[in-house]
Amino acid sequence: MPERIEAVMEETVFRNEENGYSVVQVKLGRESVTAVGTLPALAAGEQILLEGAWVEHPQYGRQFKAASCEVRKPTTLLGIERYLGSGLIHGVGPATARLIVQEFGRETLDILSEHPERLTDVPGIGPKRARQIAQSFQEQYAAREAMIFLQSYGVSPSLAVKISKVYGATAQQKIRENPYRLMDDIEGVGFLTADRIALSLGIPQDSEYRLSAGLKYVLSEAAASEGHTYLPRDMLLDRAAKALRVSVEMLLHPLDALLFARELVAVDTENGDGLMLQSYFYAEKEIARYLKLLLGAAQTMMPEAARESIRAFEKERHIEFSENQKTAILEALSQGLMVITGGPGTGKTTIINCILSLLGRDVLLAAPTGRAAKRMSEATGHEAKTLHRLLEFAGEEGRFLRNEQNPLDCACVIVDEMSMVDVFLMRSLLRALKPGVRLILVGDADQLPSVGAGNVLGDILKSGAVPSVRLTDIFRQAGESLIVTNAHRINHGEPPILNKKDSDFFFERQYAPDQASEAIVGLCARRLPKFLHSSDAVRDIQVLSPVKKSGAGVHALNAMLQAALNPPAPFKKEIAYGDTLFRLGDKVMHVKNNYQLAWKTDTGEEGEGVFNGDVGFITGLDTQDRIVTVKYDDERTVEYDYQQLEELELAYCLSVHKSQGSEFPCVVMPVLGGPPRLLTRNLFYTALTRARKLVVLVGREEAIAQMVNNNHIALRYTTLRRQLTDG
């Protein structure tokens, strides 16, 4: 049970104005103690009621870790004077505070709140200064009341600070009028939080505010969790009715109102009437328009000269392209827009190298993730950047410095791992291409689609409107790899070949999740490092799990692998956040797009924005200020304060979805069966194609067969394909 203490504020030792995290000294009876937590701005002399728990800090000793804070007005004359003179109120220092209290006594705070014009009764305070003091007092008081109000409805202190900063003194008023406005105005506030506040405030379940917000929430959730950019009308109404616990009929008027206000857009689709959030409608519409412009600006290169250059490249590299591969290169050289797709071992990277040699150096390379960009750089010898860095991300969602007014300066852009690119990132890329630039998109259409909404690569290919070549021939060297062979077998619905002598693909039979997990830990900690002659098993071996929960899921394996691969030691500092213990040297992943998180590199480059799926290592851990430093694969270093640790997870084991765009020397994967909607053929295929040198499966042959035979591909409702073929 949380403990409650009533104390008097003495001084603020430290305060982070961005998130409200504070270290304060308070008087508890006759004892002076330290309290820490996300707190409102506090002034000396205020009485505060803190709820939380006593903790023992390794350096600073006993502290009270506050989860919530209730501020009470000071009641004694000395307390009121200390409060006013603390510096919290602009224009009032200790001397002025003493004069105000001498004038108004115990009524001082009531005068400031209700009759601030009376401040002119105080010697030395004129009308202008009185107004300034009153305004500052009201702002501080309102912000604090808003924090207390929000925390009483279960809003976290850090989120309460963010809301207070956006709404200022009007926070309570605006939230009481329509709590659902928080969804549109405050990043990090979803429908469930707004709905909890609304229902607690007594807003009716059938309020039009609630029904409208619920409809938008269902569409947002469908985009975030399933990748849909629209939902069929009946599906939207049915899902919203169930989520809101109302009848479909009650939603018809709010739906019409949203359509009239253009917050939702109705579209005609192959699935009947569809409904989209405005942002997704315009994103897909804009993508289609830009792609059509690129198609209309086809490049020209003399075919015979191109063929001669290809022959010279083959001679130099001692290779021979198949006709299929030559066609891909020639098409890329003659089109303004081109898609090259194919599975592992089909020569996509070699083709990119050939195109680079023929087009010269006026080519930019990019990929969606840091790992994919790094791999592209290593494979081509040319610098490749993440799309966010290529487009010069500006620290705000959807905003890049490279756009129509400031396009990329190049003749050609080649983007790898296109299956990972969602609609918003694709639109941003296209906005940054000046007329006449050639765009070559490379990817594996059989992999899982993007984590973000849309199905950009799939829709472009299915539309038939964009020139594309599918590579099918496997290079001889790749054909000798069972990883490549088995990936293609699985993609065609055939079982993989297991445990062939001197191969790179192995299977270890284990029937129970706990036994499989123990076997995986043993493989990663002892057996595979020796087999691979690896000096850094954590970097070279990646465990991928199809599921998050269960004994062999992501969460359980991460805890076990951390204990085995990065055990506690006297020199390794640790910090606990929720159920996760972060330790110096841990492999971690950032799991939520944060557009304001600052980063820097060893070369002095600085910027903002860390994205879902970025993987790095904890290189610093300050237990005193509770700051964790992470260095990512693309050499960016990021400092996380304690509240931001919710955006980090251990990454010794990743979900297959989170591994997209990455490649690892060795992949280890539990195969034990589970929900058919998760254990699909293309998920299995995606996992195996992450490995470069070795794959080890641990589990049951029946589970492997289950995934190979399960060719269910979750349908994504999108409009891009239709927009490309219309008109």
Side-chain angles (χ1 to χ4, degrees):
M1 286 289 291
E3 188 173 345
R4 293 162 70 92
I5 64 169
E6 193 165 343
V8 176
M9 177 66 186
E10 290 188 312
E11 66 171 325
T12 299
V13 179
F14 167 80
R15 179 171 174 80
N16 182 329
E17 290 298 339
E18 286 300 309
N19 58 28
Y21 178 77
S22 305
V23 179
V24 297
Q25 205 73 18
V26 299
K27 197 81 169 177
L28 186 61
R30 295 183 178 181
E31 182 186 7
S32 191
V33 300
T34 300
V36 299
T38 300
L39 305 170
L42 298 169
E46 289 187 299
Q47 269 191 301
I48 54 176
L49 184 64
L50 299 174
E51 186 173 283
W54 289 101
V55 295
E56 192 70 28
H57 190 281
Q59 186 172 352
Y60 295 103
R62 190 168 179 253
Q63 298 179 338
F64 192 79
K65 185 178 176 183
S68 67
C69 172
E70 181 182 332
V71 185
R72 296 175 176 175
K73 292 179 183 178
T75 55
T76 67
L77 293 177
L78 180 60
I80 294 170
E81 185 180 319
R82 289 184 66 193
Y83 165 58
L84 291 181
S86 65
L88 198 66
I89 298 170
H90 183 67
V92 179
T96 303
R98 190 175 304 112
L99 290 172
I100 294 172
V101 173
Q102 284 174 357
E103 181 70 32
F104 301 119
R106 285 190 168 83
E107 294 181 356
T108 296
L109 299 181
D110 292 331
I111 297 293
L112 282 166
S113 179
E114 297 170 22
H115 303 288
E117 70 280 357
R118 288 185 57 189
L119 280 169
T120 55
D121 296 345
V122 178
I125 298 180
K128 184 178 178 180
R129 191 178 176 198
R131 285 194 298 272
Q132 290 176 335
I133 293 170
Q135 182 180 350
S136 179
F137 175 81
Q138 294 286 0
E139 286 174 355
Q140 290 292 338
Y141 185 76
R144 194 167 314 167
E145 288 295 298
M147 273 201 70
I148 295 165
F149 164 74
L150 288 164
Q151 288 183 54
S152 69
Y153 290 106
V155 177
S156 70
S158 57
L159 190 54
V161 169
K162 191 186 294 186
I163 294 169
S164 296
K165 288 182 77 158
V166 172
Y167 290 152
T170 62
Q172 273 203 69
Q173 176 192 339
K174 287 182 175 179
I175 293 166
R176 287 185 184 279
E177 286 173 0
N178 176 17
Y180 299 101
R181 70 189 305 155
L182 291 165
M183 296 167 57
D184 297 323
D185 297 346
I186 312 293
E187 184 190 349
V189 177
F191 175 79
L192 298 179
T193 298
D195 199 41
R196 183 174 66 247
I197 295 171
L199 296 177
S200 299
L201 289 171
I203 291 177
Q205 191 165 308
D206 60 354
S207 156
E208 188 139 332
Y209 285 139
R210 181 172 188 265
L211 302 183
S212 296
L215 286 163
K216 291 191 290 184
Y217 163 70
V218 169
L219 284 170
S220 297
E221 277 297 293
S225 60
E226 300 169 82
H228 302 309
T229 59
Y230 81 89
L231 285 179
R233 178 187 172 92
D234 290 346
M235 182 182 291
L236 170 62
L237 289 168
D238 182 60
R239 288 188 180 189
K242 289 175 180 173
L244 298 169
R245 300 181 301 281
V246 297
S247 68
V248 167
E249 289 71 28
M250 292 175 69
L251 293 166
L252 298 179
H253 183 266
L255 179 58
D256 287 341
L258 288 169
L259 289 167
F260 181 77
R262 298 289 292 172
E263 291 188 60
L264 299 188
V265 180
V267 289
D268 181 28
T269 76
E270 58 265 36
N271 299 294
D273 292 339
L275 291 160
M276 308 180 73
L277 291 167
Q278 188 186 64
S279 56
Y280 292 103
F281 172 76
Y282 285 112
E284 290 194 315
K285 186 175 183 178
E286 204 173 335
I287 290 169
R289 179 171 66 84
Y290 277 118
L291 291 177
K292 288 175 182 177
L293 288 174
L294 288 171
L295 286 170
Q299 309 292 312
T300 56
M301 179 176 278
M302 296 299 290
E304 193 47 49
R307 289 184 184 276
E308 183 58 40
S309 297
I310 293 171
R311 283 193 288 270
F313 182 85
E314 288 177 308
K315 186 175 181 180
E316 179 191 335
R317 299 295 180 97
H318 306 291
I319 60 172
E320 186 176 345
F321 287 121
S322 68
E323 285 305 312
N324 185 227
Q325 290 159 341
K326 288 177 185 175
T327 299
I329 298 167
L330 290 168
E331 283 286 305
L333 296 174
S334 63
Q335 301 289 343
L337 174 63
M338 168 70 183
V339 179
I340 300 172
T341 183
T346 55
K348 296 190 296 294
T349 300
T350 309
I351 286 172
I352 291 173
N353 279 325
C354 183
I355 293 168
L356 283 169
S357 73
L358 301 187
L359 291 180
R361 294 204 164 267
D362 199 13
V363 180
L364 297 177
L365 304 181
T369 66
R371 285 204 164 211
K374 187 176 181 180
R375 193 175 80 243
M376 198 179 187
S377 295
E378 292 167 351
T380 62
H382 288 66
E383 182 187 19
K385 296 181 178 181
T386 65
L387 284 165
H388 283 87
R389 292 183 79 175
L390 179 76
L391 300 176
E392 297 177 25
F393 178 69
E396 185 179 322
E397 184 173 1
R399 186 166 171 262
F400 295 89
L401 297 181
R402 293 291 183 173
N403 50 37
E404 301 98 325
Q405 287 74 44
N406 182 31
L408 294 166
D409 185 19
C410 62
C412 175
V413 176
I414 303 176
V415 182
D416 198 8
E417 294 288 355
M418 263 303 299
S419 62
M420 296 183 65
V421 178
D422 62 30
V423 289
F424 293 120
L425 191 53
M426 185 64 178
R427 178 179 63 179
S428 296
L429 169 65
L430 293 170
R431 283 176 172 176
L433 301 182
K434 59 187 177 184
V437 169
R438 178 188 282 114
L439 178 61
I440 301 169
L441 307 176
V442 183
D444 187 344
D446 295 315
Q447 286 187 23
L448 295 168
S450 58
V451 175
N455 188 18
V456 174
L457 179 62
D459 282 349
I460 290 173
L461 289 168
K462 288 172 187 173
S463 74
V466 176
S468 65
V469 172
R470 186 180 186 100
L471 304 174
T472 54
D473 301 307
I474 301 173
F475 274 6
R476 181 181 60 80
Q477 298 94 325
E480 295 169 359
S481 164
L482 263 191
I483 297 173
V484 173
T485 300
N486 281 337
H488 287 277
R489 285 176 66 88
I490 289 164
N491 207 26
H492 294 122
E494 301 170 13
I497 300 165
L498 304 175
N499 293 339
K500 183 179 178 182
K501 189 177 179 182
D502 298 326
S503 76
D504 54 8
F505 199 103
F506 295 97
F507 170 74
E508 180 170 319
R509 187 179 295 106
Q510 296 288 345
Y511 288 100
D514 56 343
Q515 294 171 339
S517 296
E518 288 174 9
I520 287 169
V521 171
L523 283 162
C524 295
R526 296 180 295 278
R527 295 161 58 191
L528 289 177
K530 292 179 182 177
F531 182 84
L532 293 166
H533 306 292
S534 170
S535 60
D536 192 343
V538 178
R539 290 184 186 274
D540 291 344
I541 303 167
Q542 183 62 57
V543 180
L544 303 179
S545 180
V547 296
K548 289 189 175 180
K549 298 178 181 177
S550 90
V554 172
H555 301 316
L557 280 167
N558 262 321
M560 295 175 69
L561 289 164
Q562 181 193 43
L565 300 176
N566 189 30
F571 64 89
K572 290 182 187 176
K573 294 181 179 179
E574 300 176 348
I575 190 168
Y577 185 87
D579 295 332
T580 304
L581 184 69
F582 293 105
R583 183 176 295 136
L584 190 67
D586 273 339
K587 185 178 187 179
V588 292
M589 172 178 274
H590 189 91
V591 295
K592 177 186 176 185
N593 288 343
N594 185 327
Y595 300 96
Q596 278 76 46
L597 194 55
W599 55 263
K600 60 184 177 181
T601 66
D602 294 341
T603 58
E605 186 181 359
E606 295 183 355
E608 292 182 332
V610 184
F611 303 101
N612 188 359
D614 288 347
V615 174
F617 287 83
I618 294 178
T619 56
L621 208 155
D622 185 335
T623 54
Q624 176 182 331
D625 294 328
R626 301 203 295 179
I627 292 173
V628 174
T629 304
V630 177
K631 189 165 189 176
Y632 285 102
D633 288 329
D634 56 2
E635 305 306 316
R636 290 174 304 157
T637 296
V638 178
E639 288 189 350
Y640 292 80
D641 64 35
Y642 188 73
Q643 299 295 333
Q644 291 168 329
L645 293 181
E646 66 179 359
E647 299 177 12
L648 281 183
E649 289 181 1
L650 295 176
Y652 298 97
C653 178
L654 301 176
S655 69
V656 177
H657 284 85
K658 293 286 189 185
S659 74
Q660 284 179 266
S662 299
E663 188 178 78
F664 313 98
C666 174
V667 165
V668 180
M669 181 178 179
V671 283
L672 294 155
R677 64 183 179 82
L678 292 177
L679 303 186
T680 61
R681 183 187 299 173
N682 70 329
L683 180 137
F684 194 22
Y685 171 83
T686 300
L688 301 189
T689 54
R690 301 306 89 209
R692 189 166 65 245
K693 293 181 180 178
L694 183 67
V695 167
V696 181
L697 304 178
V698 179
R700 301 184 297 113
E701 290 98 329
E702 297 87 348
I704 294 173
Q706 176 191 355
M707 284 190 281
V708 172
N709 294 328
N710 182 8
N711 197 27
H712 172 72
I713 297 175
L715 173 68
R716 286 200 170 187
Y717 294 116
T718 63
T719 69
L720 180 57
R721 178 174 64 169
R722 188 156 186 164
Q723 297 215 47
L724 284 168
T725 54
D726 284 351

